[in-house]
Amino acid sequence: MDLKLEKLAGLYEHSAWIVEQALARGPFKSLAAFKRACAEVLDAAGRDAQLGLIRAHPELVGKAAVLTSESTREQSAAGLQQCSPQEFETLQRLNRDYNARFGWPFILAVRGPRGVGLTRTQIIETFERRLHAHPEQEFAECLRQIHRIAELRLAEVVGERIAEGEQTWDWAEQLAVHSDTPEHLTVTYLTPAHQACAQQLAGWMREAGFDTVDIDAIGNVVGCYRGTGDRWLLTGSHYDTVRNGGKYDGRLGIFVPMAVVKRLRGRRLPVGLEVIAFAEEEGQRYPATFLASSALTGGFDAAWLEQRDTDGITMQQAMRDAGLPGTLEAIAKLARDPKNYLGFVEVHIEQGPVLDAANQALGIVTSINGSHRYLGQLIGQASHAGTTPMDLRRDALLAVAELALFVEAEAVRLGCVGTIGICSVPNGSINVVPGRVDFSLDLRAPDDATRDLLRDAVVAQLSGICERRGLRHELRPTVAANAAPSDPAWQERWEAAVEQLGLPLHRLPSGAGHDAMKLHEILPQAMLFVRGGNQGISHNPLETITAHDAQLCVDAFSHLWEAL
Ligand SMILES: [Zn+2]
């Protein structure tokens, strides 16, 4: 790859040294590898140089800023020159407040994740939100935005094409038009919006060149693209969402293989590809989750058909209303015979901050965490907040507080995660010592042994706290899910694919559950993660990926499949 300093000197604002030092690390296998080198140079340059780079940037619509030609074009392309007087005032105020709080100018890649420009409203909303960020996190976010600006400038200079990444991104936008609620993205099992998504996906799969496309008895959209042999690679992810969710969670794992098939234009590979858009994973409408992948593994529970949604509609009725048979016989037929498949792979947005913080576009999943969940209750003695001396209290809330800090310390020590997400004082009062607390425990680890160690330590600690404080407790297990370690051979295939892109390997466990966790029961599986922007926030409308990262997913998937 032939990259010349004189063409690339403007990638980083007034800071050609970054490109110069990065180029010295060449030659590069890919643009992604060069971008990675730039990020490493800046990482190694230290805080002062990083701050200098941030300060070399102009304010958005700054009055006194001396803009480079690149910045001028980007800001005017985002329509920042056409601000209304009110928007102009708002931006000036934000610039002032931001600078007063952080001591550097606000940096945002105004061309956005697709490269076509954010709206002024999006820019102002992002500005308002980031004004309240933690200073260290905001500093890091500014550097990430600077790398994104450089990525877009580089693409322009070298005429980079990322057609499949853009297609993937556009599919995500277009599918998000269908929602149960107009103001949010919410697509729950078998609602009209959900059925519209299935029809839309089926239509796109046909256009992309799949040989057969069907909607099965559970509502999955299944696209098959034959290979020259008779073995298949199984892939896919879910298209339902949580309430007020993001556009990429699950869906990306459907779009990426679709884009790969589309790019083949009918060319055949030795192994066929079966892509499943899973109808249900999130457990929003009915208490049961992973309905769709459970059907594939033969683990669909007959009792689920009788579950009711909040309107009292049984799952079976919802299926019949959607034109599906709604019988256990039809669902049982969906179980796959592992003999026909080499394995299962899934591409998914990380849904966490790890890759974004590490400036890594792709991550190799080592294991899907196993978990223990409990609902608990601590019972002490409610008493007068004014008259009960501190040493004579039996305060249930303090016990949970103590437990929460222990969960934190122990999870850190064991390299896993633990959360008390619910903690409430029923009928609490401002002047009453809490006599009872309802709380939850969510403990997760990449392997079952560590998960159980954490559980045992937390339970023992809880007993100790109760004894010392004179409390009672109840703990009711609600979930015990085994970890699903990636199959070593399939993990290596993802690693080889990422290496072919010229990117370093970043391995991480998945803290969230995924369809691959279910398929794990019948097939070897491994997942690829892509970073989410906005510090990886997910199950939230702020969930975002760039078209560039989507392209890397498509390329990695392509490499993995072609190598089989
Ligand atoms: Zn998901």
Side-chain angles (χ1 to χ4, degrees), residues 237-238 240 248-251 281-282 346 348-349 351 512-515 527 538-539 543:
S237 194
H238 60 98
D240 68 323
Y248 309 95
D249 175 7
R251 297 163 171 215
E281 190 258 13
E282 301 280 11
E346 180 175 357
H348 206 284
I349 185 166
Q351 301 187 274
H514 297 292
D515 290 299
M527 293 183 72
S538 183
H539 284 181
E543 183 184 280

Side-chain angles (χ1 to χ4, degrees), residues 269-306:
L269 299 175
V271 174
L273 185 68
E274 181 174 337
V275 180
I276 304 202
F278 290 102
E280 205 285 337
E281 190 258 13
E282 301 280 11
Q284 299 288 305
R285 183 168 176 187
Y286 295 98
T289 61
F290 294 99
L291 296 178
S293 41
S294 297
L296 262 72
T297 61
F300 189 92
D301 185 339
W304 292 345
L305 287 173
E306 302 311 315

Side-chain angles (χ1 to χ4, degrees), residues 1 38 51 91 108 170 174 271 278 335 378 410 412 419 475 478 501 531 545:
M1 177 148 288
C38 291
L51 186 58
L91 282 164
L108 177 66
D170 293 344
Q174 289 160 27
V271 174
F278 290 102
L378 274 162
E410 194 65 4
V412 168
T419 306
L475 212 49
T478 57
L501 301 177
R531 83 179 131 196
I545 63 166

Side-chain angles (χ1 to χ4, degrees), residues 290-461:
F290 294 99
L291 296 178
S293 41
S294 297
L296 262 72
T297 61
F300 189 92
D301 185 339
W304 292 345
L305 287 173
E306 302 311 315
Q307 286 188 347
R308 288 175 190 275
D309 68 7
T310 49
D311 295 329
I313 300 170
T314 64
M315 191 186 294
Q316 182 164 52
Q317 189 58 48
M319 286 175 172
R320 292 193 172 147
D321 291 348
L324 305 176
T327 63
L328 195 61
E329 297 71 55
I331 294 166
K333 281 193 194 129
L334 304 182
R336 297 301 196 268
D337 183 350
K339 276 204 309 294
N340 300 328
Y341 300 94
L342 295 174
F344 178 79
V345 292
E346 180 175 357
V347 178
H348 206 284
I349 185 166
E350 183 204 333
Q351 301 187 274
V354 176
L355 293 174
D356 195 41
N359 266 315
Q360 300 273 14
L362 301 178
I364 314 287
V365 177
T366 53
S367 177
I368 303 170
N369 279 354
S371 61
H372 281 302
R373 284 190 192 168
Y374 295 90
L375 289 175
Q377 206 175 72
L378 274 162
I379 302 125
Q381 179 63 58
S383 58
H384 197 294
T387 60
T388 320
M390 295 310 283
D391 61 340
L392 294 180
R393 293 179 180 209
R394 291 164 63 205
D395 186 328
L397 183 62
L398 288 179
V400 180
E402 214 183 303
L403 185 71
L405 291 174
F406 177 79
V407 168
E408 181 188 31
E410 194 65 4
V412 168
R413 194 179 72 77
L414 292 170
C416 41
V417 290
T419 306
I420 293 182
I422 298 174
C423 175
S424 62
V425 181
N427 307 315
S429 291
I430 192 166
N431 56 354
V432 177
V433 175
R436 202 184 105 193
V437 170
D438 295 332
F439 70 103
S440 64
L441 263 178
D442 178 305
L443 309 171
R444 307 186 196 210
D447 61 82
D448 294 341
T450 313
R451 174 199 62 168
D452 293 350
L453 267 180
L454 178 62
R455 188 253 335 253
D456 295 347
V458 170
V459 170
Q461 184 73 11

